[in-house]
Amino acid sequence: MPRVNDRWEVCGRVALGRRFGFLWAAYGVSAFGSSLAFNALPLLAIRELHAGPTRVAALASVGAAVGAALAVPLGPWVEFRRKRPVMIAMDLLRFGALASVPAAYALGLLGFPQLLVVSAVVAAAGITFGAASGAYLKWLVGPDDLLTANSRFEGTTWTSILLGPPLGGVLLGALGPVVTVAADALSYLLSALGIRAIGGHEPLPARKASPTPTGERSFPDVGQASTGQVPGDTHTNRSVREAPAAPLGEPAAAPALTSAPTPGADAPRRSRAGGLTEGWRYILGDPVLRPLFFHTILVNALILAPEPLLAVLLLDRLGFSPWQYGLAFALPCAGGLVGSRVARPLAARFGARRVLLASGTLRTLWPIGLAFVGPGTAGLLLVMVIEFGLIACMGVYNPLFATRRLERTPQERTARTLSAWTVSGRAVIATLTATWGLLAAAVGPRTAIAAAGVLLLATPLLLPWRDKEETPAREAAERAAVS
């Protein structure tokens, strides 16, 4: 597709144009709303419905699992639709689902099953939105601006988490968790309006049969990336985010990126049935995506699975107040701002691959410390230090990972590949969250948190340490491209 966004530099800072500005603003509003309602549904279940560790873990796991299942047919469907209307529809769907919570609470009808349904709908809509937004951004910005766009979304994510939870904690303490859920719902409505304001005509994607990798591909330059992405969930995430890049040196054989249109009237049906399978096949056949896939999914799951247990430990067992809980996870997000700002300079100096591997390793060393949190000010400070180190490493890793992943994904496969990746991640997170809920019921939340931290220490072994495509000449060219 042709590039549609204007780009210029203002005082050395790259401006990506009006349309990107609307997309960035829409993402910022929804990210801030979600951060304001940080863990709002689990907190609502704990405080208003008196749910214990098992039910809180079930809220996270069942909602994510059902949401991932609902999103399976939607990923291939999104691939051949205009992306902006899909994004607007998913924002409106999330607005409606979340708005039903304060409405039911006001009528005295709120129950735990409704929270499960809302969690599943929001999860499915989030996966679909992420797939559409990643493909849309590829059309919106040029390849040279991929890392810049990813870094800006990453910085926005951590800014929202820095500001949102303390304000949400104040609202929660004064007015209760229902108000923060209502604020999150409103943020999705505003996001839909912002995406609608982007305007312009988006061409209908052509339906093409997509290949799987058949051999080694060249490792594209950071700075000459072929795709872009609106970040998904980071908190993992708490998590969202072109023409092929010019080759460096003598690349190895690359798979064909297009083929003849799929004939027959039953093509849409076959695409929906096998679309995600093609996404998984492509991921597992790519020598760089495959290890990143297993590493990233497992790390995210082991970080997020103990999160409901940490809420129980801090709020119930150790007696932290809601504002302290919000503060403990808000102030360390300054580390994410630092990480997102230094990711590009570090890649320019040391090479994107080296920084990716180093930050991916360092982020796994911190969570085990959460098992040693105690009451009082010392415990609060320990949580902040651990979260700052973890988030700073994530701030460096995430934009480099998002750039690398989408560099290696062809234009016509983006929605299916991102959907397959996200569905897999949500399924693993749901499975491990349910498992850790049962583990916490047996041995206690602190021991379960420690077990996740120990397993995280082994996950760097899954990173792509042996990359045959990386050579000293390629690393030097990569650093030059980034700088």
Side-chain angles (χ1 to χ4, degrees):
M1 287 183 183
R3 181 180 175 182
V4 300
N5 203 39
D6 295 326
R7 178 186 188 273
W8 62 91
E9 292 191 12
V10 180
C11 298
R13 179 179 176 85
V14 176
L16 300 181
R18 171 183 171 276
R19 291 183 176 181
F20 177 81
F22 276 117
L23 182 63
W24 191 12
Y27 173 75
V29 170
S30 63
F32 183 79
S34 297
S35 298
L36 191 70
F38 177 68
N39 273 344
L41 293 183
L43 290 174
L44 185 62
I46 293 171
R47 297 192 60 182
E48 302 297 333
L49 303 179
H50 309 291
T54 302
R55 298 187 78 188
V56 172
L59 178 60
S61 60
V62 173
V66 175
L70 292 175
V72 167
L74 293 177
W77 176 80
V78 168
E79 192 78 79
F80 305 109
R81 300 297 185 278
R82 290 184 176 92
K83 306 305 185 290
R84 192 164 66 95
V86 173
M87 295 159 63
I88 294 172
M90 294 303 105
D91 269 343
L92 293 177
L93 180 59
R94 287 185 283 187
F95 162 72
L98 288 169
S100 71
V101 173
Y105 181 82
L107 296 173
L109 301 176
L110 182 65
F112 190 76
Q114 181 180 352
L115 295 185
L116 290 175
V117 172
V118 170
S119 178
V121 171
V122 170
I127 294 173
T128 307
F129 182 95
S133 62
Y136 185 72
L137 190 61
K138 288 194 293 183
W139 173 69
L140 194 64
V141 302
D144 292 340
D145 299 324
L146 175 60
L147 186 54
T148 299
N150 281 331
S151 295
R152 289 181 185 176
F153 283 120
E154 187 72 13
T156 301
T157 297
W158 296 118
T159 301
S160 67
I161 301 176
L162 176 64
L163 299 176
L167 296 177
V170 172
L171 287 176
L172 192 150
L175 302 175
V178 177
V179 175
T180 61
V181 175
D184 194 14
L186 179 61
S187 74
Y188 286 118
L189 177 61
L190 296 177
S191 174
L193 294 175
I195 294 172
R196 186 179 186 278
I198 294 174
H201 174 71
E202 180 189 356
L204 186 66
R207 188 178 298 277
K208 297 178 180 180
S210 298
T212 55
T214 57
E216 297 289 327
R217 286 181 59 186
S218 61
F219 215 94
D221 307 69
V222 174
Q224 293 188 353
S226 59
T227 57
Q229 178 188 12
V230 176
D233 38 23
T234 52
H235 320 268
T236 332
N237 120 355
R238 226 137 251 186
S239 322
V240 274
R241 348 159 171 280
E242 300 102 340
L248 273 177
E250 295 294 331
L257 298 185
T258 60
S259 62
T262 304
D266 61 338
R269 187 177 296 110
R270 290 201 306 268
S271 177
R272 291 193 190 187
L276 287 192
T277 301
E278 294 177 5
W280 283 310
R281 187 182 298 119
Y282 188 84
I283 292 169
L284 298 178
D286 188 282
V288 175
L289 292 182
R290 183 173 57 252
L292 285 176
F293 175 75
F294 289 115
H295 168 80
T296 304
I297 284 181
L298 187 57
V299 169
N300 288 345
L302 288 173
I303 289 175
L304 293 177
E307 190 174 278
L309 309 181
L310 186 60
V312 173
L313 177 65
L314 296 181
L315 294 171
D316 185 39
R317 306 294 174 83
L318 298 180
F320 284 89
S321 63
W323 72 265
Q324 289 176 317
Y325 179 75
L327 189 67
F329 292 95
L331 292 183
C333 292
L337 289 175
V338 174
S340 65
R341 293 298 299 269
V342 303
R344 188 179 181 91
L346 288 175
R349 180 169 183 178
F350 300 106
R353 178 176 175 273
R354 290 182 178 179
V355 178
L356 179 76
L357 295 174
S359 58
T361 300
L362 291 174
R363 68 182 181 145
T364 66
L365 305 180
W366 297 93
I368 193 173
L370 294 172
F372 302 99
V373 172
T377 303
L380 184 65
L381 291 176
L382 179 59
V383 173
M384 290 182 178
V385 170
I386 293 170
E387 291 294 322
F388 182 90
L390 171 64
I391 292 171
C393 295
M394 291 171 64
V396 176
Y397 178 86
N398 286 345
L400 292 171
F401 157 71
T403 300
R404 190 68 88 194
R405 176 174 64 176
L406 288 174
E407 283 173 344
R408 303 192 65 91
T409 306
Q411 171 79 26
E412 69 274 7
R413 293 191 59 89
T414 305
R416 283 170 289 179
T417 300
L418 293 182
S419 294
W421 198 300
T422 307
V423 165
S424 301
R426 296 291 176 87
V428 174
I429 289 171
T431 301
L432 291 190
T433 301
T435 302
W436 254 253
L438 296 175
L439 181 63
V443 301
R446 190 183 297 273
T447 304
I449 292 170
V454 170
L455 291 177
L456 273 169
L457 298 177
T459 56
L461 297 174
L462 298 174
L463 283 166
W465 295 99
R466 296 181 179 181
D467 184 2
K468 297 179 180 179
E469 299 175 359
E470 200 73 16
T471 64
R474 189 177 300 279
E475 289 183 5
E478 182 182 80
R479 290 194 294 270
V482 174
S483 61

